[in-house]
Short mmCIF file of all heavy atoms in Angstrom, two decimals:
data_model
loop_
_atom_site.label_atom_id
_atom_site.label_comp_id
_atom_site.label_asym_id
_atom_site.label_seq_id
_atom_site.Cartn_x
_atom_site.Cartn_y
_atom_site.Cartn_z
N SER B 326 -65.31 -18.26 28.17
CA SER B 326 -64.44 -18.01 29.25
C SER B 326 -64.58 -16.59 29.67
O SER B 326 -63.90 -16.16 30.74
CB SER B 326 -62.91 -18.16 28.74
OG SER B 326 -62.74 -17.38 27.62
N GLN B 327 -65.35 -15.88 29.04
CA GLN B 327 -65.53 -14.30 29.47
C GLN B 327 -66.80 -14.20 30.27
O GLN B 327 -67.73 -14.94 30.27
CB GLN B 327 -65.72 -13.47 28.17
CG GLN B 327 -64.43 -13.51 27.33
CD GLN B 327 -64.55 -12.62 26.02
OE1 GLN B 327 -65.67 -12.75 25.41
NE2 GLN B 327 -63.60 -12.03 25.60
N ARG B 328 -66.82 -13.05 31.07
CA ARG B 328 -67.91 -12.77 31.83
C ARG B 328 -68.82 -11.69 31.25
O ARG B 328 -70.00 -11.56 31.58
CB ARG B 328 -67.43 -12.22 33.27
CG ARG B 328 -66.61 -13.19 34.01
CD ARG B 328 -67.55 -14.45 34.60
NE ARG B 328 -68.45 -13.82 35.61
CZ ARG B 328 -69.21 -14.63 36.49
NH1 ARG B 328 -69.13 -15.96 36.26
NH2 ARG B 328 -69.96 -14.18 37.44
N GLU B 329 -68.18 -10.72 30.53
CA GLU B 329 -68.91 -9.70 29.93
C GLU B 329 -68.16 -9.07 28.74
O GLU B 329 -66.97 -9.30 28.55
CB GLU B 329 -69.32 -8.58 31.00
CG GLU B 329 -68.14 -7.85 31.53
CD GLU B 329 -68.60 -6.79 32.50
OE1 GLU B 329 -69.47 -5.92 32.09
OE2 GLU B 329 -68.17 -6.89 33.70
N GLN B 330 -69.04 -8.43 27.93
CA GLN B 330 -68.49 -7.67 26.74
C GLN B 330 -69.21 -6.30 26.77
O GLN B 330 -70.46 -6.33 27.09
CB GLN B 330 -68.77 -8.43 25.50
CG GLN B 330 -67.72 -9.50 25.12
CD GLN B 330 -66.42 -9.03 24.75
OE1 GLN B 330 -66.29 -7.95 24.13
NE2 GLN B 330 -65.36 -9.65 25.20
N THR B 331 -68.56 -5.31 26.32
CA THR B 331 -69.21 -3.96 26.24
C THR B 331 -68.92 -3.39 24.91
O THR B 331 -67.87 -3.54 24.21
CB THR B 331 -68.63 -3.05 27.25
OG1 THR B 331 -68.88 -3.60 28.54
CG2 THR B 331 -69.23 -1.63 27.16
N SER B 332 -69.99 -2.74 24.40
CA SER B 332 -69.89 -1.87 23.09
C SER B 332 -70.81 -0.75 23.19
O SER B 332 -71.94 -0.91 23.19
CB SER B 332 -70.35 -2.83 21.92
OG SER B 332 -70.35 -1.99 20.63
N GLY B 333 -70.15 0.38 23.36
CA GLY B 333 -70.91 1.67 23.52
C GLY B 333 -71.93 1.62 24.75
O GLY B 333 -71.47 1.42 25.88
N ARG B 334 -73.19 1.79 24.48
CA ARG B 334 -74.14 1.71 25.51
C ARG B 334 -74.65 0.31 25.86
O ARG B 334 -75.49 0.10 26.67
CB ARG B 334 -75.35 2.60 25.11
CG ARG B 334 -75.03 4.09 24.95
CD ARG B 334 -76.30 4.96 24.68
NE ARG B 334 -76.83 4.59 23.37
CZ ARG B 334 -77.92 3.96 23.10
NH1 ARG B 334 -78.76 3.49 24.04
NH2 ARG B 334 -78.41 3.61 21.83
N LEU B 335 -74.07 -0.70 25.27
CA LEU B 335 -74.46 -2.09 25.54
C LEU B 335 -73.48 -2.84 26.27
O LEU B 335 -72.17 -2.61 26.09
CB LEU B 335 -74.63 -2.78 24.16
CG LEU B 335 -75.51 -2.20 23.04
CD1 LEU B 335 -75.56 -3.01 21.83
CD2 LEU B 335 -76.94 -2.08 23.59
N ASN B 336 -73.92 -3.58 27.19
CA ASN B 336 -73.05 -4.49 27.96
C ASN B 336 -73.82 -5.86 28.13
O ASN B 336 -74.99 -5.86 28.62
CB ASN B 336 -72.90 -3.86 29.43
CG ASN B 336 -72.08 -4.74 30.21
OD1 ASN B 336 -72.59 -5.68 30.95
ND2 ASN B 336 -70.71 -4.52 30.38
N ALA B 337 -73.18 -6.77 27.72
CA ALA B 337 -73.75 -8.18 27.87
C ALA B 337 -72.82 -8.98 28.89
O ALA B 337 -71.63 -8.86 28.85
CB ALA B 337 -73.65 -8.94 26.53
N SER B 338 -73.55 -9.68 29.75
CA SER B 338 -72.82 -10.53 30.80
C SER B 338 -73.25 -11.96 30.48
O SER B 338 -74.22 -12.28 29.96
CB SER B 338 -73.25 -10.19 32.18
OG SER B 338 -74.65 -10.39 32.40
N LEU B 339 -72.32 -12.83 30.97
CA LEU B 339 -72.60 -14.29 30.84
C LEU B 339 -72.30 -14.93 32.16
O LEU B 339 -71.19 -14.76 32.66
CB LEU B 339 -71.79 -14.87 29.68
CG LEU B 339 -71.74 -16.34 29.63
CD1 LEU B 339 -73.11 -16.84 29.15
CD2 LEU B 339 -70.69 -16.73 28.38
N ASP B 340 -73.24 -15.81 32.61
CA ASP B 340 -72.99 -16.75 33.80
C ASP B 340 -73.29 -18.03 33.32
O ASP B 340 -74.43 -18.51 33.35
CB ASP B 340 -73.88 -16.22 34.97
CG ASP B 340 -73.56 -17.12 36.26
OD1 ASP B 340 -72.94 -18.15 36.06
OD2 ASP B 340 -73.98 -16.62 37.26
#
Side-chain angles (χ1 to χ4, degrees):
Chain B
S326 57
Q327 297 174 319
R328 299 284 293 189
E329 64 180 304
Q330 280 287 325
T331 298
S332 175
R334 294 183 294 109
L335 305 180
N336 176 276
S338 69
L339 174 63
D340 184 344

